[in-house]
Amino acid sequence: MNMSPAQQSLETRTVHPVPDRHGSNLYTTDTQFAPLLQLYLPQDVNAHLQPYLTRMGELAGGRLDELALIADKNPPTLAQRTRTGQDAQRIDKHPAYVEMERVAYGDFSLAIMSHREGVLGWAAKLPPLAKYALTYLFVQAEFGLCCPLSMTDSLTRTLRKFGAPALVDKYWAQLTATDFADQAQGAMFMTEQAAGSDIANTQTLAAPHADGAWRLTGDKWFCSNPDAAFAMVLARVEGDPPGMKGVSLFLLPRRLDDGSSNHYRIIRLKDKLGTRSMASGEIQLDGAVAYLVGEQGRGFAQMADMVNNSRLSNGVRAAGMMRRAVAEAEYIAQHRQAFGKALQDMPLMRRQLDKLRMRSEQARTMVLQTSQALQRSDAGEPGGYALLRILTPLIKFRACRDARKVTGDAMEVRGGCGYIEEWSDPRLVRDAHLGSIWEGTSNIVALDVLRAIRREDSLAALQAHAAALLAQTQAAPAFKQALHAAMQRAGEFAAAAVAANADGERLARSAASALYNSFTAIAMAWEASQTGSAQRLRWAQLVLVHRVLPRDPLQEADIPAAWLQTA
């Protein structure tokens, strides 16, 4: 029988002793994703997005995967002068990275999707989940570029929310252009040597100028996408009080109105463990022209909107990377033979794959739930902001930490090849460690969970939402009772940590993990009930067994028989 080239390629992938999944469509081969999107998205939006999701899945499993490997091996470089000796800094990006930019910014408009109508042929603005669903697929191939995408999206949101109308009007067309050649990228210059998470220690100074703009002077220590057309910058206004109240937010353009370069320099690029495809550098501001955004002295409160948006994006990226790692491990286990049988038929491998899937699917559920909360919050729905305010740090804290373990354990399934840089596994492991650092380390973000409970009454919002989901869930009564009890205990633990004030801070990570695991178990059980997925129900049960309930390390942990009975 004659086979087409595609069939021959599939045949080779299937029978070769070293399985290679390259060329698979990462959307159509993911049996869980389409039913979940059908559940969470409006029917007409979901139908409209299907060709775009299918195309992104095809690219992520093929061409984008190839480009990501090339870009990772050829990081950007900083050039200081032109060949004629002119002082004109530029960052030279490999053509593979630029081609990925064209796909993300141009073909799919991921950076502008939330800010204008008509994107991807949809008359109205698409809901947040449309952007995050496509990003979830894109990041399975390329992580580094997702940082500039997120910052551009978040900067545009923050400028629109807090900027003076004249300032917004001045730059809006550049930030929301549909043509890739005209699109401006964004960045966030916040970190200083002495002011990482401690924003109150910001040393960069801002001085007012007669033309109504400001002049910024100081050093920024870690700036990703440093040659972006615009950056949001935190600086201390000269004469304002010390501490957080003296910090203000500014928009910094790369080019001045006359087309000349603004007065700041990229000192050097960082040599990073991961995200090597995307430039990060150190910036020296020398009287750089900038524009005040929002209220003077409330810079961090306003920057927090951008940071929280970026934290959600970090969680989406962590979820996508886990999905890619697990899918690779599943493919290998299905097609790799050892000791006369497929790896997936070995009891210990089945157990390990279940643990990987469990964490990956928890994160996916959190992406869907938090995207929905963002939409509710932006629409001004009662309780929407309070729910978003706690879900965002929860996904940033726990999903990003889980990604480090899942990518490492999935790499082990591939064996020796998994340690070789020709495969996606090492890049996933390196990139996964970023999520727990940028936009707030694990400690900082876990403490933000407690802050959301204290300031926004977010625990009550989370408990009410979980109760509503549980009420709609069809499952064994014993399992539903176990879910209810877990959420109640997690809430009591978190409330006790908040009540203990400073002393309770030591419990922040445990409280955040308890809330994340209890809530995702409920949400996954609800999803299983709505979609009819027995797999998803089992994963929800495993979350309780392995991540919530007390365990005896010398006794096998299994799903209680009462949880398996029909309701």
Side-chain angles (χ1 to χ4, degrees), residues 406-469:
V406 169
T407 54
D409 287 357
M411 179 172 70
E412 186 179 345
V413 176
R414 181 165 262 134
C417 284
Y419 203 65
I420 305 303
E421 292 282 357
E422 292 174 307
W423 301 86
S424 61
D425 307 79
R427 191 170 73 250
L428 288 170
V429 169
R430 289 187 280 107
D431 287 347
H433 280 72
L434 173 67
S436 295
I437 299 173
W438 285 8
E439 269 69 83
T441 60
S442 297
N443 283 355
I444 293 296
V445 179
L447 288 169
D448 196 42
V449 173
L450 301 189
R451 189 177 301 111
I453 294 172
R454 183 180 295 113
R455 296 181 180 178
E456 310 296 341
D457 198 21
S458 289
L459 180 57
L462 181 66
Q463 289 174 317
H465 182 57
L469 293 177

Side-chain angles (χ1 to χ4, degrees), residues 33 84 98 109 144 148 169 174 205 245 262 291 319 325 360 390 467 471 521:
F33 203 21
T84 61
V98 176
S109 301
D169 291 344
Q174 296 177 57
L205 294 177
K245 292 183 179 179
N262 205 344
Y291 302 94
S360 175
I390 194 169

Side-chain angles (χ1 to χ4, degrees), residues 443-513:
N443 283 355
I444 293 296
V445 179
L447 288 169
D448 196 42
V449 173
L450 301 189
R451 189 177 301 111
I453 294 172
R454 183 180 295 113
R455 296 181 180 178
E456 310 296 341
D457 198 21
S458 289
L459 180 57
L462 181 66
Q463 289 174 317
H465 182 57
L469 293 177
L470 193 56
Q472 300 171 34
T473 299
Q474 299 296 318
F479 179 48
K480 290 186 67 173
Q481 176 56 35
L483 289 169
H484 170 76
M487 190 69 208
Q488 186 173 12
R489 289 189 63 204
E492 291 170 353
F493 185 78
V498 171
N501 295 317
D503 188 56
E505 290 183 357
R506 61 189 174 86
L507 303 175
R509 290 168 73 121
S510 297
S513 292

Side-chain angles (χ1 to χ4, degrees), residues 508-535:
R509 290 168 73 121
S510 297
S513 292
L515 290 173
Y516 177 91
N517 291 326
S518 299
F519 174 71
T520 52
I522 289 173
M524 290 168 72
W526 172 77
E527 291 167 345
S529 176
Q530 300 298 310
T531 62
S533 172
Q535 273 186 315

Side-chain angles (χ1 to χ4, degrees), residues 13-174:
R13 291 204 308 269
T14 302
V15 302
H16 194 276
V18 181
D20 187 353
R21 186 168 167 261
H22 180 73
S24 299
N25 187 309
L26 303 192
Y27 178 62
T28 59
T29 58
D30 183 351
T31 58
Q32 291 287 318
F33 203 21
L36 288 171
L37 291 179
Q38 187 174 9
L39 174 62
Y40 280 91
L41 284 170
Q43 184 176 356
D44 53 351
V45 174
N46 183 58
H48 182 80
L49 286 176
Q50 288 307 307
Y52 298 99
L53 291 161
T54 300
R55 176 58 177 157
M56 183 67 90
E58 178 186 7
L59 288 169
R63 180 58 177 162
L64 282 174
D65 200 39
E66 296 166 0
L67 295 170
L69 179 62
I70 296 169
D72 185 71
K73 293 180 180 297
N74 296 274
T77 57
L78 176 62
Q80 300 288 356
R81 290 188 166 197
T82 68
R83 66 180 183 179
T84 61
Q86 291 178 305
D87 184 8
Q89 283 192 325
R90 70 176 187 277
I91 292 178
D92 292 325
K93 306 170 184 178
H94 193 275
Y97 183 85
V98 176
E99 188 174 338
M100 290 192 294
E101 284 184 309
R102 188 175 297 278
V103 171
Y105 281 95
D107 296 349
F108 287 90
S109 301
L110 294 179
I112 66 171
M113 188 176 292
S114 296
H115 308 293
R116 63 174 301 155
E117 301 170 343
V119 174
L120 301 187
W122 187 252
K125 286 183 184 177
L126 286 163
L129 182 52
K131 171 181 62 185
Y132 291 128
L134 289 164
T135 301
Y136 180 84
L137 293 169
F138 183 92
V139 76
Q140 292 184 46
E142 163 62 12
F143 178 87
L145 177 56
C146 288
C147 179
L149 278 170
S150 171
M151 290 193 297
T152 305
D153 174 36
S154 300
L155 179 146
T156 306
R157 173 188 172 93
T158 301
L159 178 62
R160 180 185 58 189
K161 190 170 184 178
F162 298 109
L167 184 63
V168 175
D169 291 344
K170 182 175 183 178
Y171 295 122
W172 191 253
Q174 296 177 57

Side-chain angles (χ1 to χ4, degrees), residues 160-422:
R160 180 185 58 189
K161 190 170 184 178
F162 298 109
L167 184 63
V168 175
D169 291 344
K170 182 175 183 178
Y171 295 122
W172 191 253
Q174 296 177 57
L175 287 166
T176 60
T178 55
D179 192 326
F180 173 68
D182 300 325
Q183 286 179 351
Q185 295 190 22
M188 180 166 51
F189 299 169
M190 187 165 63
T191 305
E192 299 181 8
Q193 288 179 323
S197 299
D198 185 8
I199 300 301
N201 205 25
T202 295
Q203 301 298 311
T204 297
L205 294 177
H209 199 265
D211 61 6
W214 295 71
R215 301 294 185 270
L216 306 185
T217 304
D219 291 337
K220 292 295 182 179
W221 180 241
F222 209 113
C223 306
S224 290
N225 210 24
D227 63 337
F230 300 98
M232 286 291 183
V233 185
L234 289 177
R236 182 173 302 285
V237 174
E238 294 179 357
D240 274 7
M244 198 73 82
K245 292 183 179 179
V247 177
S248 297
L249 181 62
F250 297 88
L251 181 70
L252 177 77
R254 180 76 171 142
R255 296 280 174 185
L256 300 177
D257 291 345
D258 62 4
S260 63
S261 297
N262 205 344
H263 309 297
Y264 65 93
R265 296 187 63 80
I266 304 169
I267 303 303
R268 64 169 178 170
L269 300 185
K270 301 286 194 180
D271 186 8
K272 298 172 292 182
L273 172 69
T275 64
R276 300 185 65 86
S277 63
M278 183 268 301
S280 300
E282 299 166 22
I283 298 287
Q284 186 176 74
L285 301 153
D286 187 16
V289 176
Y291 302 94
L292 182 67
V293 175
E295 184 181 343
Q296 184 175 327
R298 289 186 49 81
F300 183 71
Q302 292 151 180
M303 184 69 136
D305 188 75
M306 183 172 181
V307 170
N308 282 328
N309 217 42
S310 295
R311 284 177 176 174
L312 171 52
S313 177
N314 262 284
V316 174
R317 287 175 260 167
M321 284 192 291
M322 279 192 273
R323 170 59 200 166
R324 172 68 189 274
V326 171
E328 292 292 320
E330 288 175 331
Y331 187 86
I332 295 155
Q334 181 183 357
H335 295 292
R336 175 73 170 170
Q337 297 283 325
F339 310 109
K341 61 175 70 173
L343 296 183
Q344 68 177 5
D345 295 331
M346 298 177 177
L348 189 55
M349 179 59 74
R350 288 202 299 269
R351 178 183 173 87
Q352 294 309 111
L353 287 174
D354 262 342
K355 288 188 175 182
L356 296 179
R357 293 180 185 117
M358 176 182 68
R359 286 178 167 83
S360 175
E361 294 303 328
Q362 281 183 273
R364 177 167 15 205
T365 289
M366 280 295 284
V367 169
L368 297 165
Q369 286 286 327
T370 313
S371 299
Q372 196 173 62
L374 175 61
Q375 185 173 356
R376 288 181 55 200
S377 176
D378 284 349
E381 292 185 22
Y385 176 74
L387 182 62
L388 175 67
R389 186 62 187 83
I390 194 169
L391 289 181
T392 298
L394 283 177
I395 189 174
K396 168 65 168 70
F397 168 65
R398 191 67 262 168
C400 290
R401 292 194 63 78
D402 284 352
R404 292 158 55 172
K405 178 172 178 56
V406 169
T407 54
D409 287 357
M411 179 172 70
E412 186 179 345
V413 176
R414 181 165 262 134
C417 284
Y419 203 65
I420 305 303
E421 292 282 357
E422 292 174 307

